[in-house]
Amino acid sequence: MAQDRFADRHLGIAPDDLRPMLETIGVGSVEELISQVIPASIRLRKPLDLPEGMTEYEFAAHIRALAGRNRQLRSFIGMGYYPTATPAVIARNVFENPSWYTSYTPYQAEISQGRLEALLNFQTAVISLTGMEIANCSLLDEATATAEAMLMMYALRSREAVKEGRNILFVDENIFPQTFDLLLTRSEPYGIEIVRDDFSTYEFSGREFGAVVQYPAANGAVNDYDDFTAAAHARGVLVAAACDPMALVLLKAPGEWGADIAVGSTQRFGLPMGFGGPHAGFMATREAFKRNMPGRIIGVSVDRLGNKALRMALQMREQHIKREKATSNICTAQALMATMSGFYAVYHGAEGLRRIAEHIHTHAAAVAAALREMGFRLASELFFDTLEVEAEAAVVQQAALERGINFFYPDENRVRMSFDEVTTGEEVLQVVAVFAEAAGRKAPRSVKVPQQAALPANLVRRSPILTEPVFRLYRNETDMMRYIKRLEHRDISLADSMISLGSCTMKLNAAAMMMPLSLAGFGNMHPFVPRDQAEGYLEMIRELEHDLAVITGFAATSLQPNSGAAGEYSGLMVIRAWHQSRGQGHRNVVLIPASAHGTNPASAAMAGMKIVVVACDGHGNIDVEDLRAKAAEHASELAGIMVTYPSTHGVFESRIREIVDIIHDAGGQVYMDGANMNAQVGLTNPGYIGADVCHLNLHKTFGMPHGGGGPGVGPICVAKHLAPFLPSHPVVETGGREGITAVAGAPYGSAMLLPITYGYIKMLGEKGLRAATETAILNANYMSCALKDEYRTYYTGENGRVGHEMILDLQHFRKDYGVECADVARRLMDYGFHAPTLSFPVHDTFMVEPTESEPKAEMDRFIEAMISIKRECEAIAAAGEEQKADNLLVNAPHTAPEIASDGWAHPYSRMQAAFPLRWVKESKFFPYVSKIDGGYGDRNLCCTCASLHEEE
């Protein structure tokens, strides 16, 4: 019986649309086009060894069965991951809502005001809880955020400290093991020496630049770091605190006891454990350090009409813009998760968070009292949520498993447990019963709750939290639902229209792939559970690692890197480890084309590499002769090359195999950036081309959503000789036998997202994956040809074709029309479109990528909009001086209040401004604010939400 094929739903081109598209391009078939786009020498000779695609119904049954194989025992493991209660109003209206999870990073602020306000709420909550002056709107996880703090402190060294060679980072011994592993990973390429010791007895030597402590400590102890911090500051040492934000509801803020940087994770603020992620990491610091802070900061500015407007402030801190001078390669945030955590803080407010924090602490204190009564010794009598008990671990574990309970076991004589917001009185009795059995005693029928909190009196929080109006306004579900919807309607997402961002691949995030994320079998799993409790997850991970290796032509995969930039870094660190294993650790030169995305040189710098830039020719290809000369010049120290394929200019370079051979002949390795894999899958692959390692942006090629700027996942695939060096983990066995230390806090990175890519591959199958690539290339060439009389395609291949994206030339618009490229981008908002990638990789151009998911009708609307805007530009030029300062483009975008105002004085009509084409009326999106004054926002930096609700 015939069933729907997933590919027919995922691919946007209907059979009747194919012929007119091919005619516009000037070819007789898709195969003829592909033969003109991809060099014959790198075309795969046989199909990928993957099965046929499942139907959506078959996949739904299959993924539910896998989720069911994950045994959901009650987790008290803690260690940075805790069961939470995600409010249903947030789960339904944000986590499961394509308007939130399909939106892009808010670079185009005028059509991102809802997301920006949600992220501003997150920032405000972090600033309030940490007692700091400025925060970013999320990092990847707590462990990587701590590593970022280390490098930030290193970059903040005074000239004298640099001259003195201060390179020691003190790390307190009582820190999460995954965090310490990340510090080892990131420190080694910089030559940073880590000293791990007891903060209470450590004496500074004068060679330290920074110190890291955990608050509360990994064993649960709430330590007083006042004297330690004072001693550090007296020696010119900065202090970073890795914090639990839920504990900070009851504890003195780190900013109040002298910490310079606070980092952590907001996983406890309503985010599922998800076998390790994604979760929103955070960083907060003092305003004096704001320009050294990695990640994004949301700031309050004003628009053209004087209204408050939000934007990403101080954008030079997106450090990949600094390229090889970067001190971080952060590009992806965890925006969707930060949004959810921000809404969690809004919904509960200060009094709700205090109630939750006291609930957690009270249950921990009750268990502590019962354990003491039975004669057990605790590592600390002062704690928030975590108890470490001296006990025979094997005996306790057996008794705990019989009751369906997981604890953490640091060694054979210690048991650690953490309580959470969903802990019940009955569970407290079960926990106590476990230890009673281990001690050979009768379990008590009830447990008394101590009247006295187990917190140090001098560390109890006195300062208020979340005092801004937004944290008081939305207590009932009706109000909260409407607030979320109000913000949702201020943004453009894929739920509204095509987002044709070149290099960013904003493709369909199919509902069939997204729905498994809501299954408890995936969401409720702690990343450190015994392997026999996670059989469903581990089977999916094994199959996904295999499938990605097949697709890329490699031997092995690591899913640990939790962003594309983290994947770049991981791939380079694996290459570095391979060279070191062969006694060639001196190889540290990486060749990078001038056209490369800025994360490439930033990642190389973080991996301790010396960057040598390779020129591009007039067609945007790598200058092979320049490459050959530089490879020869640096042959004795060449580590490898970072190359994007198809190139960043959207072209399949025909000499790619020659490039690979040049590098290999000089003793280097070839790292292929997987940003453009959407043009390769099923037709060619990095392994077949000859590369040694690639990373994959699962949110670009394999159907994972962007989530307003994250989460991203960046697994790496490697050739056989590099497989032994894949990332390991200090708690869970994973990676290669000689694996580098961890690159993310969780062993499999953001594992809860993996069902998305798993489903994408399983439902498309071999034929569907190849068809998706062919359709992406078809759509890009159709748009390029359809616009050729109006916009020149800046670079094409030898046959005049593009890959899956193109660069449209707007460089003459300023001279010919007096219009900036950014004005055209904002004018597209009036037509209901998110603009393409602006001025990358060539200044004053649009990089356009339609993907395989868009129907011809939507592409035709975009084409018509681009042509209409050009006519508007021509009319401005014809009007002369009178319209130079007041025209459709310079004033774009136009808001509904402006269109409806009584004081319209522009030389064009309201209809021209708001409804420039007939179809715009059918589904009009009104930007919430007009053109934003970015300079004002930077000069008057305000990064909390206090001023947004002054009138309420």
Side-chain angles (χ1 to χ4, degrees):
M1 185 170 65
Q3 289 181 303
D4 277 350
R5 292 170 58 248
F6 176 73
D8 294 337
R9 304 296 189 183
H10 177 75
L11 303 180
I13 302 305
D16 292 345
D17 290 329
L18 182 58
R19 180 52 49 195
M21 291 177 69
L22 293 173
E23 289 174 356
T24 298
I25 297 169
V27 293
S29 66
V30 172
E31 178 53 40
E32 181 184 348
L33 171 64
I34 300 301
S35 69
Q36 295 175 8
V37 171
I38 303 179
S41 62
I42 62 167
R43 286 286 300 274
L44 294 176
R45 300 292 181 256
K46 58 182 180 180
L48 297 174
D49 186 16
L50 295 172
E52 289 187 17
M54 299 178 180
T55 65
E56 292 188 25
Y57 181 84
E58 289 169 339
F59 174 71
H62 172 71
I63 201 70
R64 282 197 299 268
L66 283 181
R69 290 179 57 198
N70 294 324
R71 294 170 53 213
Q72 296 176 62
L73 274 65
R74 180 59 169 94
S75 174
F76 293 98
I77 296 172
M79 300 294 288
Y81 305 95
Y82 311 88
T84 62
T86 306
V89 66
I90 296 173
R92 184 73 164 174
N93 291 290
V94 181
F95 186 61
E96 298 174 346
N97 183 347
S99 291
W100 284 98
Y101 64 68
T102 70
S103 55
Y104 182 57
T105 307
Y107 291 118
Q108 293 184 13
E110 290 85 357
I111 48 174
S112 307
Q113 290 296 296
R115 241 166 317 136
L116 287 166
E117 181 168 329
L119 293 173
L120 190 69
N121 292 340
F122 171 86
Q123 268 180 201
T124 305
V126 168
I127 289 169
S128 178
L129 289 166
T130 61
M132 294 294 181
E133 295 162 336
I134 194 166
N136 62 25
C137 63
S138 79
L139 294 175
L140 300 178
D141 61 22
E142 179 171 332
T144 55
T146 308
E148 293 288 347
M150 171 185 69
L151 296 182
M152 181 174 157
M153 291 188 291
Y154 190 66
L156 282 166
R157 291 177 302 166
S158 66
R159 290 182 181 178
E160 291 75 15
V162 173
K163 286 180 183 177
E164 293 168 3
R166 289 194 177 203
N167 71 331
I168 290 179
L169 176 77
F170 169 82
V171 180
D172 184 58
E173 60 189 6
N174 209 342
I175 194 170
F176 290 146
Q178 67 269 27
T179 300
F180 185 70
D181 227 40
L182 259 294
L183 292 172
L184 292 176
T185 305
R186 298 281 190 91
S187 63
E188 197 260 344
Y190 281 84
I192 293 172
E193 181 183 342
I194 293 181
V195 173
R196 191 174 186 182
D197 207 338
D198 183 345
F199 85 95
S200 64
T201 59
Y202 185 73
E203 294 184 9
F204 290 95
S205 67
R207 292 186 54 228
E208 299 86 357
F209 66 87
V212 175
V213 295
Q214 188 118 21
Y215 183 63
N219 69 353
V222 176
N223 295 316
D224 186 342
Y225 296 116
D226 276 358
D227 292 343
F228 173 80
T229 303
H233 288 164
R235 302 302 295 268
V237 177
L238 297 177
V239 177
C243 308
D244 174 356
M246 190 61 78
L248 297 184
V249 174
L250 301 183
L251 292 177
K252 188 176 181 180
E256 294 173 346
W257 52 252
D260 302 289
I261 303 171
V263 295
S265 165
T266 59
Q267 185 267 321
R268 296 193 99 155
F269 280 35
L271 303 180
M273 290 184 290
F275 209 47
H279 304 135
F282 66 82
M283 177 184 283
T285 189
R286 307 196 182 284
E287 190 164 348
F289 303 145
K290 64 189 177 187
R291 294 188 181 274
N292 290 83
M293 192 182 193
R296 303 165 184 157
I297 293 176
I298 309 305
V300 182
S301 189
V302 294
D303 73 357
R304 172 175 60 85
L305 303 171
N307 300 309
K308 287 176 184 172
L310 305 176
R311 62 182 282 275
M312 290 199 292
L314 304 175
Q315 286 198 27
M316 83 289 291
R317 291 169 323 87
E318 289 257 34
Q319 294 213 19
H320 58 277
I321 296 171
K322 298 180 181 179
R323 302 179 73 84
E324 65 271 13
K325 295 181 181 179
T327 56
S328 167
N329 68 340
I330 284 293
C331 185
T332 302
Q334 298 285 25
L336 184 66
M337 320 323 291
T339 292
M340 291 177 64
S341 289
F343 281 138
Y344 181 93
V346 167
Y347 197 40
H348 288 294
E351 69 278 14
L353 291 184
R354 176 168 284 277
R355 184 174 62 249
I356 292 167
E358 288 176 345
H359 174 93
I360 294 168
H361 180 64
T362 298
H363 284 79
V367 172
L371 294 180
R372 276 193 296 266
E373 220 172 276
M374 288 189 287
F376 287 97
R377 289 184 58 190
L378 303 180
S380 175
E381 296 297 325
L382 300 172
F383 51 82
F384 166 62
D385 68 330
T386 298
L387 309 176
E388 186 171 286
V389 187
E390 291 183 13
E392 191 173 346
V395 174
V396 172
Q397 185 172 24
Q398 182 177 344
L401 289 175
E402 288 174 357
R403 287 173 172 78
I405 289 174
N406 283 323
F407 297 133
F408 184 73
Y409 305 94
D411 59 40
E412 61 187 17
N413 296 312
R414 290 183 296 160
V415 180
R416 194 177 290 171
M417 69 199 84
S418 298
F419 299 88
D420 50 69
E421 70 170 304
V422 298
T423 302
T424 66
E426 177 57 34
E427 288 172 342
V428 164
L429 288 173
Q430 287 294 315
V431 168
V432 172
V434 168
F435 284 89
E437 181 178 331
R441 299 180 58 159
K442 186 176 180 181
R445 292 186 177 182
S446 63
V447 173
K448 292 181 180 180
V449 177
Q451 297 299 308
Q452 188 81 19
L455 302 173
N458 65 323
L459 290 179
V460 172
R461 184 161 200 136
R462 310 295 179 195
S463 56
I465 60 169
L466 307 184
T467 58
E468 293 77 10
V470 70
F471 299 109
R472 299 194 302 269
L473 292 172
Y474 308 108
R475 284 293 174 277
N476 63 68
E477 184 170 335
T478 301
D479 282 338
M480 190 66 196
M481 175 183 66
R482 288 172 182 164
Y483 178 55
I484 292 171
K485 280 293 174 184
R486 192 158 72 241
L487 298 191
E488 174 190 326
H489 293 156
R490 297 175 186 176
D491 285 9
I492 278 184
S493 71
L494 283 175
D496 298 291
S497 57
M498 175 172 70
I499 300 179
S500 60
L501 287 155
S503 182
C504 296
T505 319
M506 298 291 292
K507 63 203 295 176
L508 172 69
N509 314 125
M513 290 143 42
M514 298 299 297
M515 288 174 70
L517 272 61
S518 295
L519 294 174
F522 290 126
N524 289 348
M525 294 297 292
H526 193 287
F528 300 161
V529 297
R531 297 183 75 83
D532 65 354
Q533 295 179 25
E535 289 181 354
Y537 253 123
L538 294 175
E539 180 181 329
M540 178 184 67
I541 285 167
R542 283 193 298 270
E543 286 193 37
L544 183 54
E545 288 175 343
H546 168 269
D547 290 352
L548 292 176
V550 168
I551 288 167
T552 56
F554 285 126
T557 303
S558 170
L559 297 169
Q560 192 177 114
N562 51 7
S563 79
E568 291 178 7
Y569 175 76
S570 304
L572 291 171
M573 291 297 285
V574 165
I575 289 173
R576 193 172 189 269
W578 179 75
H579 282 308
Q580 290 172 340
S581 75
R582 302 170 74 241
Q584 296 188 357
H586 62 278
R587 289 186 173 269
N588 68 342
V589 169
V590 171
L591 304 181
I592 300 180
S595 63
H597 191 277
T599 53
N600 281 187
S603 296
M606 289 187 63
M609 303 292 186
K610 177 183 174 184
I611 292 97
V612 174
V613 177
V614 178
C616 293
D617 64 22
H619 299 287
N621 300 315
I622 293 173
D623 186 328
V624 177
E625 299 316 311
D626 187 53
L627 171 73
R628 193 187 310 277
K630 285 172 177 170
E633 178 185 354
H634 299 283
S636 64
E637 54 188 352
L638 184 66
I641 187 173
M642 299 185 79
V643 58
T644 302
Y645 199 74
S647 75
T648 311
H649 294 137
V651 175
F652 282 89
E653 300 182 35
S654 61
R655 300 176 72 178
I656 185 65
R657 280 244 170 91
E658 186 179 352
I659 290 168
V660 169
D661 289 343
I662 290 170
I663 300 303
H664 284 162
D665 290 346
Q669 296 283 282
V670 175
Y671 166 88
M672 187 167 283
D673 187 310
N676 292 340
M677 268 301 292
N678 209 44
Q680 287 195 41
V681 177
L683 301 178
T684 185
N685 63 47
Y688 189 68
I689 291 168
D692 301 288
V693 56
C694 77
H695 91 271
L696 300 170
N697 298 83
L698 297 190
H699 62 288
K700 293 185 179 183
T701 304
F702 294 97
M704 202 166 279
H706 275 67
V713 180
I716 56 172
C717 302
V718 298
K720 185 176 181 181
H721 64 285
L722 296 180
F725 305 97
L726 288 174
S728 63
H729 193 272
V731 181
V732 176
E733 185 178 345
T734 188
R737 62 179 182 273
E738 301 174 68
I740 63 173
T741 44
V743 295
Y748 302 104
S750 296
M752 194 174 74
L753 298 177
L754 297 180
I756 303 171
T757 292
Y758 181 77
Y760 180 88
I761 294 170
K762 294 302 183 188
M763 287 190 284
L764 280 176
E766 184 277 325
K767 291 180 181 177
L769 289 167
R770 177 160 37 89
T773 307
E774 291 171 341
T775 306
I777 292 172
L778 168 75
N779 288 355
N781 280 276
Y782 169 68
M783 292 185 71
S784 176
C785 292
L787 285 166
K788 71 179 187 300
D789 293 336
E790 306 289 344
Y791 296 89
R792 178 177 78 95
T793 296
Y794 204 93
Y795 292 117
T796 59
E798 293 172 2
N799 295 316
R801 302 300 184 196
V802 297
H804 64 314
E805 60 192 356
M806 80 219 74
I807 298 172
L808 299 180
D809 184 7
L810 281 74
Q811 292 183 330
H812 61 99
F813 272 48
R814 184 186 293 110
K815 178 177 177 291
D816 292 351
Y817 311 128
V819 169
E820 301 290 331
C821 190
D823 294 332
V824 179
R826 281 185 287 268
R827 180 58 176 154
L828 270 168
M829 300 173 191
D830 286 328
Y831 286 77
F833 284 112
H834 193 295
T837 304
L838 179 64
S839 289
F840 174 81
V842 181
H843 193 61
D844 284 341
T845 62
F846 277 173
M847 195 179 203
V848 180
E849 180 181 359
T851 83
E852 73 274 13
S853 306
E854 294 297 340
K856 179 177 179 293
E858 183 73 352
M859 290 188 286
D860 287 343
R861 280 189 285 271
F862 181 84
I863 290 165
E864 188 179 2
M866 287 294 290
I867 294 172
S868 176
I869 290 172
K870 190 176 179 195
R871 296 291 172 267
E872 292 172 351
C873 293
E874 292 165 350
I876 291 167
E881 289 296 321
E882 62 185 82
Q883 283 197 25
K884 257 189 178 177
D886 188 7
N887 58 63
L888 282 164
L889 275 87
V890 76
N891 291 333
H894 298 83
T895 65
E898 183 182 17
I899 294 294
S901 69
D902 295 331
W904 188 265
H906 301 301
Y908 49 89
S909 70
R910 288 178 167 88
M911 187 64 74
Q912 286 176 294
F915 304 103
L917 292 171
R918 176 190 51 78
W919 48 263
V920 177
K921 302 175 187 175
E922 296 171 7
S923 183
K924 174 63 181 175
F925 176 89
F926 273 109
Y928 185 66
V929 298
S930 189
K931 182 178 179 179
I932 295 175
D933 185 342
Y936 177 92
D938 286 348
R939 290 190 304 272
N940 304 276
L941 185 62
C942 173
C943 55
T944 71
C945 62
S947 65
L948 290 188
H949 299 270
E950 286 173 349
E951 296 83 12
E952 296 186 40

